[in-house]
Amino acid sequence: MENNLKQILKEIKEDNYRVPAEVNVNELVTKMIYDIGSTDPELRDKLIYSVMYHWITNNEIATDKLKELLAISMDDNHLFFKIGETNTDSVFTRSFSILLIPLILINNRQFKFLSEKDIKEVYIKVVDYFIKEKDLRGYVKDQGWAHSVAHAADALDDLAICSEIGHEELLYMLEIIKNKICINNYVYINEEDERLVTTIISIFNRKIITDGEFCEWIKSFNVLQRTGIYPEDDNLLINVKNLLRSLYFRLIRLDNTEILTEQIKDTLTKISSFN
């Protein structure tokens, strides 16, 4: 079945992602979501996700099907499939299911088919997934991208833009981003910090959270839970420094961010292992 789907999607991609006359879009989308966690990186990433991306952004999938696709992508067989596992193939199902969410949110900004209640439900699911995901690998040899943290960051980013998401939700996003960065059992090496910073900048641009609240959040990185054990302490420090440095260089491109950039410099000085 995978080989048949792969051939169909290859032909669609080669034809500039046009919908073939003989193809039922809804049926093919259902097949794609069924195989979205394939361990074949070409099928999963280059074909299923790629076709989904082009069809959703080009409005080839009807809004009622997008609502169904959103619900499926967030269910226990997709976003929460074997949640908590590490170093297993189940991560591909979770991490590519969450990649569909920002595409659907972007489409919704044009066609408004999701209610405020729907958006809040997406927020709850994405946040819950982000907290519970334990498989943090970026690129997996022979199987391609897992990149669960980066993919979740994309979903958080599009949620941060939604007007239905308010002050408390945005503050909580910052808190869970901090918690995901402040780990000592893994060093993020595939630019996860940059993807998370994109979300942070979207939160900043909403102008709902005050500079004072942002400064307090940055200062909270001063208190790191170090164990005195190597390399765990270094892992933690590297993750935090990378996030704050990435945030600093993104903020200096914006106007009126001096108070935040100065707070980042102060925090980096205080947590530096060279002091």
Side-chain angles (χ1 to χ4, degrees):
M1 185 173 177
E2 274 198 1
N3 288 337
N4 184 45
L5 177 62
K6 194 171 182 178
Q7 185 57 40
I8 293 170
L9 296 181
K10 275 184 176 181
E11 291 172 4
I12 290 171
K13 184 176 181 180
E14 289 166 2
D15 193 32
N16 201 28
Y17 297 98
R18 279 188 274 269
V19 179
E22 70 278 9
V23 164
N24 182 304
V25 170
N26 286 353
E27 289 180 4
L28 189 57
V29 166
T30 299
K31 290 177 182 176
M32 285 193 281
I33 191 69
Y34 179 83
D35 280 324
I36 201 163
S38 171
T39 55
D40 178 344
E42 182 185 18
L43 176 59
R44 182 184 70 250
D45 198 343
K46 303 299 184 183
L47 294 174
I48 292 177
Y49 175 71
S50 184
V51 170
M52 286 281 203
Y53 171 85
H54 283 88
W55 281 8
I56 294 173
T57 55
N58 292 330
N59 306 321
E60 300 288 0
I61 304 175
T63 54
D64 59 342
K65 186 64 178 180
L66 287 179
K67 289 188 74 171
E68 178 188 332
L69 186 61
L70 179 63
I72 292 170
S73 70
M74 297 189 300
D75 69 21
D76 289 345
N77 292 317
H78 291 85
L79 190 57
F80 294 95
F81 178 62
K82 298 184 178 180
I83 191 72
E85 285 191 351
T86 59
N87 300 311
T88 69
D89 293 340
S90 65
V91 68
F92 298 111
T93 296
R94 298 190 299 272
S95 67
F96 276 80
S97 293
I98 202 166
L99 266 187
L100 300 180
I101 294 173
L103 298 180
I104 296 169
L105 290 175
I106 291 168
N107 191 276
N108 177 67
R109 285 203 285 276
Q110 181 179 359
F111 295 104
K112 306 296 184 185
F113 53 89
L114 297 177
S115 67
E116 180 176 354
K117 182 180 178 182
D118 292 332
I119 298 292
K120 291 290 181 71
E121 180 65 22
V122 174
Y123 169 84
I124 290 168
K125 294 279 190 180
V126 170
V127 164
D128 191 31
Y129 165 72
F130 189 67
I131 293 168
K132 290 178 177 177
E133 180 60 78
K134 303 302 179 187
D135 195 327
L136 308 178
R137 293 174 294 168
Y139 191 82
V140 181
K141 185 179 179 182
D142 299 326
Q143 294 177 309
W145 291 103
H147 228 194
S148 64
V149 172
H151 292 183
D154 294 349
L156 288 170
D157 179 46
D158 270 286
L159 281 166
I161 297 169
C162 293
S163 60
E164 296 86 353
I165 302 302
H167 181 266
E168 292 305 313
E169 289 97 344
L170 295 176
L171 275 179
Y172 193 56
M173 280 191 195
L174 291 177
E175 184 64 21
I176 64 174
I177 287 170
K178 177 194 168 188
N179 292 340
K180 189 62 75 172
I181 280 292
C182 290
I183 61 167
N184 64 11
N185 62 319
Y186 183 81
V187 176
Y188 296 110
I189 59 173
N190 294 114
E191 296 206 322
E192 290 88 349
D193 55 305
E194 292 288 354
R195 300 277 273 274
L196 288 167
V197 165
T198 296
T199 303
I200 296 167
I201 293 298
S202 290
I203 294 171
F204 174 79
N205 286 335
R206 288 286 306 279
K207 302 302 181 185
I208 294 175
I209 295 178
T210 67
D211 284 355
E213 288 172 319
F214 260 109
C215 281
E216 286 302 313
W217 178 73
I218 294 165
K219 276 198 282 187
S220 71
F221 285 95
N222 286 344
V223 185
L224 300 180
Q225 299 300 314
R226 305 192 195 195
T227 63
I229 301 173
Y230 178 86
E232 283 82 353
D233 282 357
D234 272 3
N235 294 343
L236 172 62
L237 194 62
I238 289 167
N239 287 334
V240 171
K241 282 185 172 183
N242 285 345
L243 181 82
L244 292 179
R245 287 166 177 162
S246 296
L247 180 58
Y248 175 86
F249 283 105
R250 207 80 69 89
L251 284 171
I252 61 174
R253 304 175 193 170
L254 305 177
D255 294 331
N256 303 315
T257 60
E258 291 81 3
I259 187 172
L260 302 184
T261 54
E262 286 301 313
Q263 184 59 64
I264 290 172
K265 288 194 287 186
D266 181 66
T267 300
L268 283 169
T269 299
K270 287 179 178 175
I271 67 174
S272 174
S273 60
F274 297 104
N275 283 346

